[in-house]
Amino acid sequence: MAKTSFSVPQPQPLLAWYGRFKRDLPWRSHNGRAPSPYHTWLSEIMLQQTTVATVIPYYIRFTTRWPTVEALAQAHEDDVLKEWAGLGYYSRARNLLACARTVVADHDGIFPSDIATLKTLPGIGEYTANAIRAIAFDLPASVMDGNVERVLTRIFAIEDPINLPVNKSHLRVIASHLAPDTQCGDYAQALMELGATVCTPKNPRCTQCPWQNVCKAFSLGKTASIPVIQRKTKTPHRHAIALVIRDKTGRFLLRQRPSKGLLGGLWEPFGTAWTDEAAQFPASLQNKIEDFIRQTPDVVHVFSHFKLTTIVYRADASFDAEQALADGLIDGTWFSPDDLPALSRLSEKIIERAIQGEDAL
Ligand code: SF4
């Protein structure tokens, strides 16, 4: 039987395809010019774990309000967290500000271009450092995201689970051998664009692919089964109770989470810790439970590594919040609805659920 031989994918067909079909995204040019390292960095941080469609309005708002790294470095953390609200992973927003301040303080406002120095900046890891180097400076770097991993595993028909670290390292080596020394930024973006728009997780559009003639998975009829993903164990489920408390003027009682950890530094209604077992009504308020009205349905929020179900209670007018504060039964600060501090999406959902309960009266 005749052997099938495969060529190594060459950059030119991919670059030509990218030139014709790339999406018009706001971070790909600024006023007709190539994006600055600031714009590349900002977009790459925002795009981590989030879709392009979600990021676009955030990116436009950020670059309008803080058009340069110097402007962002002077921003208040609470303002940055507020603008970030809804993008999730709030540690990224705090790192964003810390990084801007470090670039201004330690690098005269100029992003470095070498990988080692880039990786010393807050919030910049291997992927982002490579993306900034390739896209903003047009220097050789192999940029690996989920889209690139999928394209490469299909091109070479790699059937080892893509989500195991050892296999990711193998893919990085392959990617670095394939990357050209010129047009580095376009090549990196073209590869990611191919995965995002053509070599999609389901039903890849192989007839439109510039690398179809070198794709082993296509040739072997295995595009549906590659990449292989090793199934994870079931997502843990945690539980909490939140109490939405307002005073007579309509102000909300909120408290700030510790600056370190999940949703660090953001504000939330009073409530219990998140537990693996069913949550219990706060012990300090057990004898006031009749002053609270349960809101339904519960708020379910999915984080990257666990699911949280929050039972929401709304304080009735009979609850004397000032007295409870004075007695140390609850804690927090009053905020008017027009001037709320930075809230996580979870807290927004909890407050919305309580307000819906008020409206239903
Ligand atoms: Fe992906 Fe199909 Fe192109 Fe192969 S031919 S890289 S499976 S789109």
Side-chain angles (χ1 to χ4, degrees):
M1 195 167 78
K3 272 192 179 171
T4 310
S5 68
F6 290 93
S7 314
V8 172
Q10 298 297 320
Q12 278 317 320
L14 180 67
L15 288 166
W17 168 84
Y18 181 65
R20 278 189 69 191
F21 297 110
K22 69 181 172 192
R23 290 169 294 176
D24 183 17
L25 301 177
W27 45 87
R28 287 197 167 147
S29 78
H30 272 263
N31 303 323
R33 295 201 309 271
S36 70
Y38 170 66
H39 294 112
T40 301
W41 161 74
L42 184 61
S43 63
E44 288 298 335
I45 299 289
M46 287 184 164
L47 284 164
Q48 289 167 18
Q49 319 272 346
T50 317
T51 64
V52 164
T54 303
V55 165
I56 288 174
Y58 284 89
Y59 176 83
I60 292 171
R61 276 208 305 277
F62 262 74
T63 51
T64 302
R65 185 164 181 182
W66 300 297
T68 62
V69 69
E70 288 84 1
L72 181 59
Q74 289 175 12
H76 289 290
E77 182 177 280
D78 213 44
D79 289 337
V80 173
L81 290 172
K82 259 189 182 178
E83 290 289 6
W84 190 272
L87 269 182
Y89 300 92
Y90 292 88
S91 59
R92 281 194 285 142
R94 280 194 304 282
N95 276 332
L96 190 83
L97 185 55
C99 182
R101 289 174 177 168
T102 306
V103 168
V104 169
D106 298 349
H107 301 277
D108 295 328
I110 299 167
F111 275 86
S113 61
D114 68 286
I115 299 287
T117 313
L118 279 167
K119 282 167 68 177
T120 65
L121 297 173
I124 295 190
E126 183 78 20
Y127 164 80
T128 310
N130 277 296
I132 293 171
R133 185 175 154 85
I135 299 169
F137 296 102
D138 209 25
L139 292 169
S142 69
V143 183
M144 292 291 295
D145 69 355
N147 289 318
V148 177
E149 288 175 354
R150 185 168 57 255
V151 171
L152 295 184
T153 51
R154 284 177 174 160
I155 291 282
F156 295 99
I158 296 169
E159 295 182 81
D160 302 318
I162 196 176
N163 50 334
L164 297 188
V166 62
N167 299 329
K168 283 185 187 288
S169 305
H170 181 213
L171 279 178
R172 263 197 292 279
V173 173
I174 294 175
S176 65
H177 283 301
L178 293 178
D181 293 335
T182 57
Q183 293 186 269
C184 308
D186 280 351
Y187 177 84
Q189 292 180 89
L191 202 45
M192 290 191 276
E193 188 86 344
L194 185 69
T197 62
V198 173
C199 193
T200 45
K202 287 190 182 149
N203 305 319
R205 293 197 284 276
C206 301
T207 53
Q208 297 167 28
C209 179
W211 276 351
Q212 189 205 79
N213 64 333
V214 293
C215 180
K216 268 192 179 184
F218 175 76
S219 162
L220 299 170
K222 289 190 169 183
T223 57
S225 61
I226 295 176
V228 173
I229 295 171
Q230 195 167 81
R231 294 275 153 239
K232 289 188 185 154
T233 49
K234 203 165 163 260
T235 308
H237 192 173
R238 306 181 80 181
H239 306 267
I241 288 177
L243 308 181
V244 177
I245 299 169
R246 303 181 79 169
D247 69 4
K248 291 188 178 61
T249 66
R251 293 182 304 170
F252 288 97
L253 186 73
L254 301 171
R255 56 186 187 173
Q256 192 170 26
R257 294 180 64 82
S259 60
K260 294 235 178 304
L262 202 56
L263 309 182
L266 297 179
W267 293 76
E268 64 183 10
F270 182 82
T272 66
W274 303 345
T275 56
D276 295 331
E277 310 298 325
Q280 303 295 325
F281 200 81
S284 62
L285 294 170
Q286 274 296 340
N287 61 358
K288 312 238 178 248
I289 196 167
E290 287 176 1
D291 292 338
F292 289 86
I293 305 159
R294 182 168 173 173
Q295 311 294 292
T296 54
D298 300 338
V299 169
V300 177
H301 194 79
V302 180
F303 292 97
S304 60
H305 52 295
F306 68 93
K307 183 166 93 172
L308 177 71
T309 296
T310 304
I311 298 172
V312 179
Y313 284 88
R314 174 172 60 80
D316 193 26
S318 58
F319 180 64
D320 188 343
E322 295 292 359
Q323 190 59 53
L325 274 170
D327 293 344
L329 305 180
I330 54 176
D331 64 320
T333 306
W334 294 111
F335 289 94
S336 107
D338 300 330
D339 193 24
L340 293 177
L343 301 170
S344 65
R345 181 66 196 123
L346 168 63
S347 292
E348 286 177 356
K349 282 157 75 173
I350 289 169
I351 289 173
E352 282 163 13
R353 181 60 34 87
I355 291 173
Q356 281 162 10
E358 287 176 356
D359 291 345
L361 289 178

